[in-house]
Amino acid sequence: MSELATIILAAGKGTRMKSELPKVLHQIGGKSMVEHIISTANNLNPTLNIAVIGYKGELVKSKLEGSNVNFAYQKEQLGTGHAVMQAEKLLSDFAGSVLVLCGDTPLLTADTLDRLFKQQQREDVEATVLTTEVNDPSGYGRIVRDQAGNVAKIVEDKDATAEQRKINEINTGTYCFDSKLLFSALDKIDNENAQGEYYLTDIIEVFREENNQVAAVVTNDESETLGVNTRRHLVQAGNTLQKRICNQHLENGVTIIDPENTFIDQEVEIGKDVVIYPFTNIEGETEIGNETIIGPQSRIIDSKLGSEVTVEHSVLRKVKIGDKTKVGPFAYLRPGTELGSEGKAGSFVEIKKSKIGDQSKVPHLSYIGDTRIGQEVNIGAGTITANYDGEEKHKTEIQDQVFIGSNSTLVAPIRVGQSAVTGAGSVVTKDVADNTLVLGVPAKEKDFDEKD
Ligand code: UD1
Ligand code: CA
């Protein structure tokens, strides 16, 4: 096996997307298209990856930090051939095979790339093109074969004759080349074509003219090679990816009631016997423990849920939920919230940046912010932690076994000691000692057996 390097073309603007964002940064399944292709390429353990960047290159670069990739700049977007030329310097000492990939084909699988690389080695050819046969080849480069059935050249859609346009075998924009021959062939292409660009595809003809061999790998999975040029293609790619992701979870023992109305990002990890009801999005780096039930209509982002948790009609962003805790219906849990096990954040409850201990419950109509709550605490309906004085945020501390009466307002900064009780409707402005009852507006200390 020769060494492998990859070149990922990601310098184009993507005019047809009609977007301020470079095309390759548009996302499906929670990751940009270019990140998808790079992480797929990484499965082949290449010696190095080179992303060719240009349009809003700094932005693309910043999104790819940590992706194990080097960068080559293409100042002006003069075509895919010109883009590949920019990687030459970084490969001057490299003598192996180069996989050229497009940043806008996010669905390619590692298996297919591996097949392409292996076939190149096995047949000992200088170039291998990944092709596929499609019903509607419009927009793609067509594979023109000679009488012997070998790839003779690739003709771009805009340059094709009426006869060539009928060819259903298309160029997927994915190739394997001998590194040295790739760059020497690129020296010989020009930009005399319909788009005035240096086409990478023209090097196939150069290879043939110089008696170098060109092979093809034909995939039978058209959905895998989709090149995303428009928003419509992006939806198509997103749907294909969702199907793949849901199938994977189904195979792993997750029940997804309606996969067509369930959206799960690629990095999400889900345990066994989890049930996901429809109209649910599970996004980012979320982990879900066994036997948890989610949905319907929930959105969970970058969160970690334990086992046997239930989440119904709720939004959770950057939170941690312990085992057997119930969330919703209609809860909004904001970043920095951690709920212990066997707890509850019930209906119309908003919790922000608060840590709540095991078996503590916030069952209805409450706002809890910047608060620490101990274990076995009950927060009565309508309780508000008044954490904002108009200028600064303040903290609330509620210790174990506290009972907060309905409609209490806790004016932060404030501390409510262990096993303390607040009466219904209290406005608590001062710290409450352990084992103490306070009530009224503002709340005052009372004996437990004292009656008004
Ligand atoms: C390209 C192929 C076409 C193939 C199709 C597969 C060429 C000339 N055509 O066409 O045969 O069927 O992909 O999807 O190669 N890019 C740069 N710099 C540039 C131009 C493009 O980095 O100067 C990048 C783009 O960001 C994109 C990729 O190259 O990621 C492909 O460019 P695009 O303009 O989408 O090419 P297609 O017209 O789709
Ligand atoms: Ca394209």
Side-chain angles (χ1 to χ4, degrees):
M1 277 283 170
S2 71
E3 264 191 274
L4 178 70
T6 73
I7 300 175
I8 298 124
L9 305 186
K13 177 176 196 287
T15 311
R16 289 165 281 183
M17 295 294 282
K18 307 217 168 83
S19 176
E20 290 299 312
L21 195 67
K23 175 169 73 175
V24 299
L25 291 186
H26 281 262
Q27 295 196 342
I28 57 171
K31 267 201 318 205
S32 68
M33 294 199 278
V34 64
E35 281 176 282
H36 278 286
I37 190 77
I38 292 171
S39 70
T40 304
N42 276 333
N43 285 312
L44 276 67
N45 297 317
T47 311
L48 85 162
N49 295 311
I50 300 166
V52 181
I53 56 177
Y55 176 76
K56 295 198 176 168
E58 284 306 316
L59 182 64
V60 178
K61 192 175 171 186
S62 70
K63 301 283 179 195
L64 294 178
E65 297 300 352
S67 287
N68 181 27
V69 63
N70 301 276
F71 296 94
Y73 274 94
Q74 184 192 26
K75 275 206 197 92
E76 274 182 286
Q77 282 68 63
L78 302 179
T80 49
H82 180 260
V84 174
M85 287 177 206
Q86 313 311 309
E88 184 171 11
K89 254 197 219 143
L90 286 170
L91 289 171
S92 55
D93 297 329
F94 182 83
S97 298
V98 176
L99 264 183
V100 177
L101 308 164
C102 290
D104 65 352
T105 51
L107 300 172
L108 281 170
T109 61
D111 274 355
T112 299
L113 295 187
D114 197 49
R115 208 142 66 87
L116 187 66
F117 176 47
K118 293 228 172 89
Q119 176 133 337
Q120 162 105 347
Q121 315 281 306
R122 194 168 51 239
E123 297 198 359
D124 199 18
V125 293
E126 286 75 28
T128 311
V129 188
L130 180 68
T131 76
T132 186
E133 284 179 14
V134 295
N135 290 329
D136 175 16
S138 57
Y140 288 105
R142 308 296 202 284
I143 303 294
V144 179
R145 291 190 181 250
D146 62 18
Q147 282 178 339
N150 296 315
V151 178
K153 59 179 176 180
I154 299 172
V155 182
E156 287 307 294
D157 191 60
K158 289 193 174 127
D159 300 278
T161 62
E163 210 44 43
Q164 288 167 334
R165 283 210 178 100
K166 290 184 192 147
I167 299 172
N168 288 93
E169 189 184 4
I170 57 114
N171 168 31
T172 65
T174 312
Y175 328 77
C176 196
F177 297 108
D178 173 273
S179 179
K180 296 290 169 216
L181 290 172
L182 164 63
F183 293 107
S184 69
L186 279 171
D187 284 343
K188 294 170 190 134
I189 62 170
D190 60 37
N191 62 354
E192 282 157 29
N193 50 50
Q195 304 187 76
E197 288 184 358
Y198 294 90
Y199 291 162
L200 174 61
T201 44
D202 282 353
I203 69 171
I204 300 301
E205 225 177 337
V206 176
F207 270 79
R208 289 296 307 268
E209 276 160 13
E210 299 187 339
N211 292 319
N212 287 312
Q213 298 212 58
V214 180
V217 167
V218 187
T219 73
N220 49 16
D221 185 357
E222 182 187 330
S223 69
E224 197 185 308
T225 55
L226 175 70
V228 173
N229 296 325
T230 63
R231 306 263 181 174
R232 210 188 290 248
H233 293 150
L234 190 71
V235 170
Q236 224 177 309
N239 286 342
T240 303
L241 182 63
Q242 278 314 308
K243 240 179 238 158
R244 254 193 222 169
I245 292 171
C246 282
N247 280 337
Q248 190 70 53
H249 290 298
L250 293 171
E251 266 170 44
N252 290 346
V254 177
T255 293
I256 302 172
I257 304 292
D258 180 3
E260 287 192 10
N261 291 297
T262 303
F263 304 89
I264 303 175
D265 281 354
Q266 195 163 44
E267 303 296 321
V268 170
E269 291 175 29
I270 306 180
K272 270 201 186 140
D273 289 316
V274 166
V275 180
I276 303 170
Y277 284 91
F279 309 110
T280 291
N281 295 45
I282 307 178
E283 302 173 31
E285 291 180 11
T286 292
E287 282 174 44
I288 293 170
N290 297 335
E291 294 178 57
T292 280
I293 301 173
I294 298 171
Q297 286 177 324
S298 294
R299 183 170 185 208
I300 301 177
I301 307 154
D302 293 327
S303 295
K304 198 170 170 211
L305 276 55
S307 300
E308 297 178 59
V309 169
T310 63
V311 175
E312 198 183 335
H313 287 282
S314 292
V315 176
L316 284 66
R317 189 188 293 271
K318 294 195 172 153
V319 303
K320 283 191 191 156
I321 311 289
D323 298 344
K324 298 185 179 170
T325 285
K326 293 185 167 41
V327 177
F330 310 106
Y332 179 25
L333 305 185
R334 294 168 51 195
T337 293
E338 289 183 31
L339 306 186
S341 58
E342 297 177 51
K344 180 165 185 165
S347 312
F348 308 105
V349 166
E350 176 175 337
I351 303 179
K352 184 212 90 173
K353 209 173 170 186
S354 295
K355 202 171 166 186
I356 300 184
D358 297 343
Q359 297 174 30
S360 288
K361 299 187 168 67
V362 190
H364 348 257
L365 299 154
S366 293
Y367 170 69
I368 303 294
D370 303 310
T371 299
R372 283 182 86 91
I373 296 180
Q375 301 189 359
E376 296 171 54
V377 169
N378 191 75
I379 305 285
T383 294
I384 305 287
T385 54
N387 60 336
Y388 186 47
D389 60 14
E391 281 172 16
E392 278 177 76
K393 299 278 166 67
H394 301 283
K395 294 200 164 82
T396 298
E397 191 184 336
I398 299 171
Q399 298 205 313
D400 295 349
Q401 285 119 23
V402 162
F403 185 93
I404 301 288
S406 294
N407 231 15
S408 291
T409 301
L410 306 173
V411 182
I414 198 155
R415 174 182 172 280
V416 182
Q418 189 171 346
S419 303
V421 175
T422 71
S426 301
V427 175
V428 186
T429 54
K430 288 194 194 124
D431 287 358
V432 181
D434 295 357
N435 302 302
T436 306
L437 165 70
V438 296
L439 60 91
V441 181
K444 296 214 170 73
E445 210 173 300
K446 299 263 182 206
D447 285 342
F448 272 105
D449 48 12
E450 198 178 325
K451 296 274 181 307
D452 281 322

